[in-house]
Amino acid sequence: MTAAKYVVNEIKGYHGFIKFLIFLVVLAAVASLARFVFGLGATTNMNDTYPWGLWISFDVVTAVPLAAGAFTLGAIVHCFNIKRLEPLVRPAIVTGFLGYSLVCVGLILDLGQPHKGWQVLRYWNLHSPMFEVSMCVMAYTTVLFLEFLSPVAEKFGWHLPLRVLRWLEMPLVIAAAAISTLHQSSLGTFFLIAVDKLHSLWYNPLLPLLFWVSAICSGMCIIIIEATSCHKWMGQPNEGELLRTLAKILPWTLSLYIALRIYSLLVLSEGPFFDFPVLTLSFALELGVGFILPMIMFTQKSVREDDRRRVIAASLVVFGLVLNRFNVSMFGMMDPNQLYYPSIVESLVTTGIIAGHILFFVLIAKYFPIFEHHPETVDYS
Amino acid sequence: MSSRTDFSKDKAFLIDMTKCTGCRGCQVACKQWNQLEAEKTEFFTGEGYQNPPAMSEFTFTRIKFRDYEKNGQNEFAFYKEMCMHCDEPACASVCPVGAFLKTPEGPVIYRADRCIGCRFCMIACPFGVPKYEWSKGLPLVRKCTGCYSRVKEGLKPACATTCPTAITYGPRDEMIKEAENRLAKHPDKYIHKVYGKEEAGGTSVIYLTNLPFDELGFKPVTMRPLPGYTWQALRLVPAAFLTVGGGLSAISWINHRKDRLKKEREEAAAAEGKNSACCAPTEPASEDKED
Amino acid sequence: MTNHWNDIQHADVILCIGSNPAENHPISFKYVEKAMDNGAKLISVDPRYTRTSSKSDIYAQLRPGTDIAFIGGMINYVLQNDLIQKDYVVDYTNASFLIDDGFDFNDGIFSGYNAETFTYAKDSWKYKTDKDGMALRDKTLQDPRCVYQLMKKHYSRYTPALVCEITGTAIQDYMAVIRTFCSTGSPDKVATIMYAMGTTQHTYGTQNVRIYAMLQLLLGNIGMAGGGINALRGEANVQGSTDYAFLYHILPGYLKVPDFNHVDYATFLDQTTPKSSDPNSANWWSNTPKYMTSLLKAFWGDAATEKNDFCYDYLAKKSGNYSFIHLMERLRAGGFEGLFCMGTNPVVGGPDASSIADGLGKLKWMVAADLWETETSIFWKRPGVDPKTIDTEVFLLPAASSVEKMGSISNSGRWAQWRYKAVNPPGHAESDAFIVDQMFKRIKALYEKGGVFPEPIVNLSWDYGNGHEPDIEMVAKECNGTFLRDVEIKGKRYKKGEQVPSFALLQDDGSTKSGNWLYCGSYTEEGNMMQRRGLEDPTGLEMYHNWAWCWPVNRRILYNRASVDLNGKPLNPKKVVIAWNAVTRKWEGDVPDGGWAPMSEDGTKNPFIMLPEGYGRLFSAGLNDGPMPEHYEPMESPVANMMSGQQTNPAVSVLGKLCNSEKFPYVGTTYRVSEHWQAGAMTRNLPWLVELVPDMFVELSEQLAEWKGLKNGDMVTISTERGSIEARALITSRIKPLRVSGRMVEQVGLPWHFGYAGLAKGGSANVLTMAVGCANSTIPEYKAFLCNIEKGGDVA
Ligand SMILES: Nc1nc2c(c(=O)[nH]1)N[C@H]1C(S)=C(S)[C@@H](COP(=O)(O)OP(=O)(O)OC[C@H]3O[C@@H](n4cnc5c(=O)[nH]c(N)nc54)[C@H](O)[C@@H]3O)O[C@H]1N2
Ligand SMILES: Nc1nc2c(c(=O)[nH]1)N[C@H]1C(S)=C(S)[C@@H](COP(=O)(O)OP(=O)(O)OC[C@H]3O[C@@H](n4cnc5c(=O)[nH]c(N)nc54)[C@H](O)[C@@H]3O)O[C@H]1N2
Ligand code: SF4
Ligand code: SF4
Ligand code: SF4
Ligand code: SF4
Ligand code: SF4
Ligand SMILES: [Mo]
């Protein structure tokens, strides 16, 4: 039978949830089309007061740190040589790769002149964090792509490329870590320019460092969540053993973040801090529920050992990060007498991007060997 | 990015609001020179006769009206909004493709052919000047050009040419001097401040007023040039890169060496049951910092 | 203007009363602010707090129509506190002149009034004279019959308290105005008055202007640099069109239009040429015969001869009042077959506008020559009217705008400046000159075939080249004047065909022609003086005598011989307009008001050369409604006149349809905004201007808004006996209710720029205004009427 038929039947076979995801992605595609036909003004709630909306705040500023698992884990496993965690690496890389690809998609929609996006490579402006980030994202996506090639190669049993990739592994991992450090932090640098606009609860010179550290934390937490759900819903082996190790690292990174955060507030920023109750609340949720609480939880053996509690703590961190990124890139810059909320199109696109992420992960997992990977045992020489 | 430090000879606007009659000749002249569409307005959008509601892709400059009573005294005030043509423009510093350029003549110009439409400039500008073509599918940014096309031919900007009373145009240092002279000559007539001398690190548009600036709707701005705020972080990029990269390389080298030695030792032990301990010297990770 | 735009910068005090230069004469404000930079004080007196008021040092609010009370109080203050510039007043004004014993004034009425005809017999409004007709004077100003004492008595009734009761001005504001303005009575201090339509558009508009002038005379501010009384004229060339007789009762150069009873030229000259027996009186108008004859020669050329009275008979004689209001009455009465509207839009600009639109329907035909399709040219399809019911045939002639043709425009400072053609007119548009030329040629052709009294047309001299349109240079040359034969004057010979260098050389024997004696000197043998662009400024007062040309004889400041003492020494050495050089025995500086020696020498002439007596008139028989201005209430007023029992101007007949203050409690006034021009065709069709002021609006006080439950921008209906319109409410503290005769009176302000044609449409304020005019100029009382305001729009 023809490829088309094959695909159709294949899809027919999918689980209802997956079909739903496909539906969401299609919706998003339609919405994106509308954006180009009717223009940004008509389809989004962005305007001259809110030049950046949901797409930048989530699809870029938030999505990037959420995809930080890949480089963090890569570093932990290969550099700090904690080989036990190896099995988690590949899924992480896939997530990372998807994450970044979708960031690019988000950007293309958000740019006024996507067809000219490449010009970043032509006109360099070293003073622009946006330039820095664009360069990194492009570079890092390539790295992830290369890393992602291994399972592909394995599936089709290409030996030579595999050997090359194996030999490249270390350099790639290190490059990944270095590049990520730069753009994860530069995302924070974005908002250093908003000196008179961003609320002082969030504006401080340490923004870049804070963005980096929090990205590492959330990166690990995403892995925890991911692995756990793969076990729960995709019938993968329970990696609880390994996740426990991650959970051991987290209290350290989290407390580092919290320490920096408090230092930046008390020492580096001057008020007014609590002039808008809503913002105060948002801040409390972010730091208290999003970082301090999970930090304490992870110090508890009971939490680290127990799959459910562990994943809850991890989710709290992810929540904290998301809220933080929105606070910095949106809520913290709101004009009280002209609020912004995303339009239908904006929301559809973003949900579509999230759905797409999960969808592709599941599909890739379905067709490529991203879980059965145990390099020690296999030998290609 | 221009790395100039002396802006005293740049052309600058001295806008004396105590002399502005709110005639709005400047607003119309600007639309005419730049061939900007008229906006569809209804009644008035703001106090007095204010129109249109704000600067926009169609409106590069606008007279803001204030019409109120202050301890029994009527205040009917007019304030000309436009690009401030900062000495060190935030818009230019954040633009990934350097679409904005601070010209040697003074005007900060925008090069549409470079722009990718990311709107970072809009976030960055402390005065909320750059506006976006929201009506279009592939929008660009729009803002006051400082009438660069006129200025580089030795003409004054359209608005400055039309203005019967309030706008003086000339070298920045002279404009500041003139402003200070006026403050000295009529101290009772003015708020004692030359706005734009230090604001945002200095601008090529300089204001004098008789009303408190916040009453006229001026937003507070830093006195430091804005590009500095990002640069202080960005300049560390190479260092960060080398530190992390170098650091990790070193660490992994050490760790892998450890395994190797461990393996060898085991093999050796297996060979002659004997075990000669030796410790490996560890080099420190390369930590070369630079700007 | 007695002075000119640039000269405003030399004032120490600037009084903007009845004008709003910041909005309506924006460029003039350049000079106002220049003066302020040098320490001048700006005073704004206006019912509304305008963009001019926003720049002023002192603002005083007054009720529309109460300027005479306001200034009368100032005159009283000056006289009571002896702040006059004594020598000036004695030497240069008629303060010392004794007035005929028959003259009297009581309870608002001057002697000689006839209540049936609403007119005055002026025979008692005259000077006491000796046996040879010389006016008697008392230079000590003590004689109870001298003008000074009569004035003092007359204005002693104008106490600050009563004035403010009438005008509604806050007393402290009023006193601040008085103290500042009346401080300029010393020779080294000078004040100027900038006035316009807020002053003139009243049933006593001319008296409003007169009382400003009297105050300036008392303070010695006329003839001085930075002084004078300055009318901010309207359209860019309205000064020129007035000079060229666009009013029904004057011929070019303000020569009088013959009356019905001026049966022949001799009678006309005899009755219209002022006489004086004072040897020191220049009495310039005694030259009337020279100017009139030269005009007739310009009209009818060779056909005009001594024998046929220079075709005087060809001139139309007026047998009544042909001013705008009366013409419109006649129009409504079906008194016209056709109407030519050249550059005017009466359906928006005229008073009681709806009735004018109705009147147009009575015409057989109407021609509109305009840049745009105006309300007037589409009156037949105006809202609420079925075109089928209107038989008028309407022709719209597309006209070329001012930048699409060459010619001169005369600004308020009397500067005639030549303009070049910048671009060609669009489409089929043609200059007005072309339109008139074609009209004439075709009408002439018809008359040549015969008709009633064809001579005035067929004999008209019409020699402006054979181009597509008349050669404007040739027109300008004719206006200046030409010698028609070789003549010798005061030993100097002039050839036939030479341009006359100055009106001093115009003749009454037919040897010269001049289309407008005032402009004699504008286009001489040296060329077109109006085209000059010289920037030399020897006086340092920015008079720029080589920039363009101004009438009369390039004199930049009128009555400038009053700026020096009797020996010709400048009263204000800091700002020297003219000065007598005893060595060269010549005047230096501006072109003097006649070159005669100073007053202390014999053979001199009195400084106010246009007046028979040669003195500035504090008392004048010139006007129809009294020799001294007296406060009356506007035709429609919410209060009784507190100054006398005479409610309104006795010389204006009270018409029928008046609003009463029960039904129409609010005082309405109309005005302009910077963003729109006049009846609006020229601005309501330009998107960039429409963007700024898109809708008809009405300005009203916060108190009235609260009382009527209005929010800013709400639609309201404003109504009078004449009609009603819709507008958006602009609620502002810049308009305040006034405390008048013990109660609060609300006022509302309406721009009059809107109408039903063009890009931006809106209700016309003139639907509300009333067709009653000034006793002298018959300019309509646009600035004060009664109206009512209700929330919501119901007009459609
Ligand atoms: N932008 C613009 N400029 C114009 C014009 C225009 O249409 N638009 N028109 C031109 C023409 S033709 C003319 S004639 C001039 C007119 O120039 P202005 O006379 O300045 O024009 P207005 O606004 O009619 O009246 C001036 C002021 O008189 C005030 N006023 C009303 N009633 C009274 C009163 O009783 N006493 C006093 N003291 N003030 C009173 C009004 O509130 C108003 O602010 O403007 C010329 N310039
Ligand atoms: N309520 C109220 N009414 C008023 C006034 C007021 O203050 N209040 N002001 C009064 C005053 S001061 C005046 S001057 C009148 C003005 O009343 P109008 O003169 O009737 O009004 P404008 O709009 O000046 O009319 C001029 C017309 O001439 C056209 N035009 C311009 N240039 C040319 C040209 O070169 N050739 C020809 N053929 N046409 C041309 C324009 O398009 C415009 O339609 O309004 C009076 N009406
Ligand atoms: S005002 Fe804003 S847009 Fe203008 S130069 Fe400064 S930063 Fe750039
Ligand atoms: S929108 Fe254009 S001009 Fe503004 S920062 Fe982005 S690329 Fe530069
Ligand atoms: S400088 Fe030019 S572009 Fe800028 S506001 Fe003035 S006229 Fe408009
Ligand atoms: S042109 Fe000059 S006076 Fe008129 S509104 Fe603009 S700045 Fe003010
Ligand atoms: S509109 Fe023309 S005439 Fe009136 S002030 Fe402006 S420049 Fe002068
Ligand atoms: Mo006028």
Side-chain angles (χ1 to χ4, degrees), chain C residues 251-268:
Chain C
L251 291 169
Y254 303 92
L255 293 163
K256 295 199 172 52
V257 167
D259 273 335
F260 206 46
N261 52 1
H262 296 142
V263 292
D264 57 25
Y265 194 32
T267 327
F268 170 79

Side-chain angles (χ1 to χ4, degrees), chain A residues 51-52 79 113 125 128 197, chain B residues 94-95 118-119 123 134 138 255:
Chain A
W52 284 354
C79 306
Q113 308 273 315
N125 179 6
S128 165
K197 295 180 178 173
Chain B
V94 298
C95 175
C118 68
R119 303 188 295 286
I123 294 284
W134 295 106
L138 296 174
N255 288 330

Side-chain angles (χ1 to χ4, degrees), chain A residues 111-113 128 130, chain B residues 91-92 94-100 110-112 114-122 130 132 139-141:
Chain A
L111 286 185
Q113 308 273 315
S128 165
M130 177 78 76
Chain B
C91 57
V94 298
C95 175
V97 288
F100 283 103
Y110 163 75
R111 294 171 290 183
R114 291 189 172 206
C115 177
I116 62 171
C118 68
R119 303 188 295 286
F120 200 176
C121 47
M122 301 171 71
Y132 208 50
L140 286 162
V141 169

